[in-house]
């Protein structure tokens, strides 16, 4: 069975339960889940909402990132889902989960998965601030 259980970029609400269920594995002794949410400020500026956009190559890049993590760590399962479209404060923007034989491996692989997703998958964020201004934040930061 492929250790990459779920990868997606969606314009609908994300489910932490779905991602956690996708990595369920009896061979795993540790499972980590990271949930990224829309926060109310960025670099001291109050945020009202944001909007994510993805390049058409984003799903393929997400798969490449996941395959690299699966090759570099002894994971039994992994999953990553990122949202696009308009999001409000508190909305879930990204969920990644990793299952591995031991907790340390799960933590390390999960950290690499979210970090590489954020730095290598072409998804952009347009933040809207309380003063009416906005700012694009590029993927691949």
């Amino acid at each position: 069975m492929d250790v990459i259980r779920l990868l997606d970029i969606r314009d609908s609400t994300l489910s932490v339960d779905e991602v956690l269920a996708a990595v369920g594995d009896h061979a795993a002794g540790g499972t980590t889940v990271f949930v990224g949410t829309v926060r109310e400020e960025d670099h001291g500026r109050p945020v009202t909402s944001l909007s994510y956009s993805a390049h058409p190559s984003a799903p393929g890049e997400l798969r490449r990132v996941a395959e690299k993590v699966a090759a570099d760590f002894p994971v039994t399962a992994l999953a990553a889902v990122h949202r696009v479209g308009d999001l409000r404060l508190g909305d879930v923007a990204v969920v990644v989960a990793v299952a591995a034989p031991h907790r340390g491996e799960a933590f390390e692989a999960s950290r690499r998965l979210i970090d590489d997703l954020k730095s290598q998958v072409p998804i952009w964020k347009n933040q809207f601030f309380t003063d009416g201004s906005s700012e694009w934040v590029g993927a691949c930061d």
Side-chain angles (χ1 to χ4, degrees), residues 107-126:
F107 277 116
E108 290 175 23
S110 180
R111 177 68 183 247
R112 169 81 73 75
L113 182 57
I114 188 60
D115 286 352
D116 288 358
L117 185 162
K118 296 299 277 181
S119 68
Q120 298 175 29
V121 178
I123 298 173
W124 299 274
K125 172 173 63 175
N126 191 6

Side-chain angles (χ1 to χ4, degrees), residues 9-103:
I9 297 173
R10 300 179 178 166
D11 63 0
S12 58
T13 302
L14 303 185
S15 166
V16 175
D17 290 339
E18 176 194 19
V19 176
L20 181 58
V23 299
D25 194 296
H26 293 295
T31 301
T32 60
V33 178
F34 172 80
V35 180
T37 56
V38 179
R39 63 183 178 267
E40 65 185 0
E41 69 87 22
D42 188 38
H43 295 92
R45 296 179 68 191
V47 173
T48 60
S49 64
L50 55 81
S51 183
Y52 281 101
S53 300
H55 188 272
S57 67
E61 289 303 306
L62 179 57
R63 173 150 298 274
R64 185 187 59 73
V65 162
E67 287 171 349
K68 180 76 169 122
V69 170
D72 289 350
F73 295 91
V75 301
T76 60
L78 67 77
V81 183
H82 202 295
R83 180 128 178 236
V84 293
D86 299 333
L87 285 80
R88 298 179 309 210
L89 296 179
D91 283 350
V92 174
V94 61
V95 182
V96 301
V98 174
H102 304 283
R103 69 178 177 273

